[in-house]
Amino acid sequence: MNFTSFHPTPRTLMGPGPSDVSPRVLSALSRPTIGHLDPEFVAMMDELKALLKYAFQTENELTMPVSAPGSAGMETCFVNLIEPGEKVIVCVNGVFGTRMVENVERIGATAIVVNDDWGKPVDIEKVKKAFSEHPDVACLAFVHAETSTGVLSDAKALCQIARDNGALSIVDAVTSLGGVELRVDDWGIDAVYSGSQKCLSCVPGISPVSFSPKAVEKLKSRKTKVPSWFLDQSLVMNYWGGEGKRTYHHTAPVNAMYALHESLLLLKQEGLENAWQRHKDQHELLKKGLTELGIEFIVDEAYRLPQLNTVVIPAGVDDAEVRGKLLNDYNLEIGAGLGIFAGKAWRIGLMGYAAREENVALCLTALKSALAK
């Protein structure tokens, strides 16, 4: 077999992620690789932390990018803050809540599961009831923006319940960071993780995380070792710390960090609230066009994610055939349904750089053509 350089066909990515990447971010990837302890790289790390703090709206000192995808960010929060034998209330209203349960159980802790229907937000009253029945709970964990369904839950209210009951909060913000309102400090979030490939429109493979002072205190007072060496924040913080000499922990993905820095710089230059509004505006355009095509949304407008639109596949339409036509005829990717929505729904992403009028127009034109055929 003769091997040649790989040159993928350019696609417009309007699925659940990864999202379209800005040319500026792709250009940043190609800059010269330098050492991960080079003074210039260390200076860039400090800027990267400051930009992440802005994106998360936090002053948490332990705010940094984990050198691995969002799933590792999730595991980072759980393995650092949860110990064997502890109880964790986990809210499940889609695929990614179930992954939280898996993390809790693998640590040797007990997951108290609060279930809600797919397509619905986390029920505040159910969470209150779970706390009243289990007053010794150590932590509340939930997904802010459930990527499998396109549902936004009330993170501010849920974190308040955790605080009222003396528990920490762990929040999945993989699809919400940069796309909808997220205020880590104002809402009292203790640990939060996200992903580079969603509304930040960076390349996949990095997971921004942030830990509150209360969470850091819990980490430092653990009775047992963090079960993951690589994800142990008490070790990594000495590499990402702001003062003194940086202690080598692992070789950071240098060029990927350039890309994340550039994507966060783009967010800062646009303005966080402007980015939130842009996602909302493009969602309204998409909604108008889909309604004209007779395509209905699964999620109620009151808690619908503007950046991840879950819609009902029209009766008699072949899911895979339509997505195949979009990919082959228009180089356009949209997402299939997950779990109970498999074969019944499409997930149309408007995340980050993909949330533009030309993308909405392409998606509507392509769908109209594919459905007509």
Side-chain angles (χ1 to χ4, degrees):
M1 180 183 290
N2 290 323
F3 294 99
T4 60
S5 298
F6 176 63
H7 294 282
T9 302
R11 309 284 197 195
T12 298
L13 301 178
M14 296 183 68
S19 61
D20 275 353
V21 178
S22 164
R24 273 180 56 178
V25 174
L26 291 175
S27 175
L29 274 172
S30 67
R31 292 169 189 162
T33 303
I34 59 178
H36 58 283
L37 292 173
D38 186 298
E40 289 188 13
F41 186 73
V42 169
M44 189 276 290
M45 290 167 68
D46 289 337
E47 288 189 11
L48 187 48
K49 281 187 63 173
L51 289 166
L52 273 179
K53 287 181 179 181
Y54 171 73
F56 276 127
Q57 289 292 280
T58 184
E59 293 301 319
N60 290 340
E61 182 55 34
L62 186 50
T63 301
M64 51 160 280
V66 175
S67 302
S71 295
M74 170 175 59
E75 192 160 333
T76 296
C77 292
F78 282 95
V79 298
N80 281 275
L81 298 181
I82 307 300
E83 296 196 69
E86 291 184 329
K87 292 181 181 178
V88 181
I89 295 175
V90 184
C91 305
V92 176
N93 62 335
V95 166
F96 295 96
T98 64
R99 294 188 180 184
M100 287 181 155
V101 173
E102 182 78 13
N103 272 262
V104 170
E105 291 176 345
R106 283 173 180 260
I107 291 167
T110 300
I112 298 158
V113 180
V114 174
N115 281 304
D116 282 293
D117 292 341
W118 285 40
K120 302 290 184 183
V122 173
D123 188 314
I124 302 294
E125 295 307 315
K126 286 183 181 178
V127 174
K128 289 180 179 178
K129 185 172 184 289
F131 269 109
S132 68
E133 293 174 350
H134 303 275
D136 54 344
V137 161
C139 187
L140 169 68
F142 64 91
V143 179
H144 183 212
E146 178 55 75
T147 315
S148 63
T149 62
V151 167
L152 183 70
S153 289
D154 190 340
K156 183 179 181 180
L158 289 165
C159 289
Q160 182 63 56
I161 296 169
R163 287 200 306 279
D164 290 345
N165 287 275
L168 295 175
S169 54
I170 295 177
V171 179
D172 178 325
V174 169
T175 300
S176 56
L177 182 63
V180 290
E181 184 178 14
L182 173 66
R183 301 184 185 276
V184 169
D185 285 359
D186 288 352
W187 295 355
I189 297 173
D190 289 305
V192 61
Y193 59 91
S194 189
S196 54
Q197 78 281 16
K198 305 281 187 176
C199 293
L200 296 183
S201 273
C202 186
V203 293
I206 306 174
S207 179
V209 300
S210 186
F211 285 62
S212 73
K214 210 162 81 171
V216 173
E217 185 182 327
K218 171 70 186 292
L219 169 60
K220 290 181 176 178
S221 63
R222 288 179 62 98
K223 300 178 181 66
T224 60
K225 270 189 175 183
V226 173
S228 168
W229 178 88
F230 182 70
L231 300 177
D232 185 344
Q233 293 301 281
S234 65
L235 301 176
V236 184
M237 69 172 68
N238 294 326
Y239 175 54
W240 279 95
E243 300 294 334
K245 184 180 177 181
R246 303 297 174 102
T247 304
Y248 166 72
H249 179 264
H250 66 277
T251 302
V254 172
N255 291 62
M257 292 300 176
Y258 299 165
L260 180 60
H261 180 280
E262 193 70 21
S263 72
L264 291 167
L265 182 60
L266 281 166
L267 181 63
K268 183 74 166 63
Q269 290 171 342
E270 180 179 10
L272 191 56
E273 294 189 359
N274 292 333
W276 296 341
Q277 187 63 46
R278 173 170 54 85
H279 284 86
K280 184 178 179 181
D281 292 344
Q282 296 310 311
H283 162 75
E284 291 298 329
L285 275 179
L286 179 67
K287 181 178 73 172
K288 182 176 182 293
L290 290 176
T291 301
E292 290 171 357
L293 290 175
I295 296 175
E296 300 177 349
F297 284 79
I298 285 177
V299 178
D300 188 275
E301 198 162 355
Y303 38 83
R304 183 185 301 162
L305 284 174
Q307 67 269 45
L308 200 287
N309 300 269
T310 308
V311 298
V312 180
I313 298 172
V317 171
D318 185 284
D319 169 26
E321 184 179 350
V322 169
R323 286 188 293 104
K325 284 183 180 295
L326 297 187
L327 196 66
N328 296 324
D329 297 350
Y330 293 91
N331 288 315
L332 171 67
E333 178 184 277
I334 66 172
L338 284 180
I340 64 169
F341 292 149
K344 301 175 183 177
W346 290 318
R347 290 180 296 157
I348 303 174
L350 287 172
M351 294 188 282
Y353 189 65
R356 295 178 292 150
E357 286 189 21
E358 54 264 50
N359 279 22
V360 173
L362 171 63
C363 182
L364 293 172
T365 299
L367 273 173
K368 183 176 181 179
S369 172
L371 291 172
K373 290 177 183 177

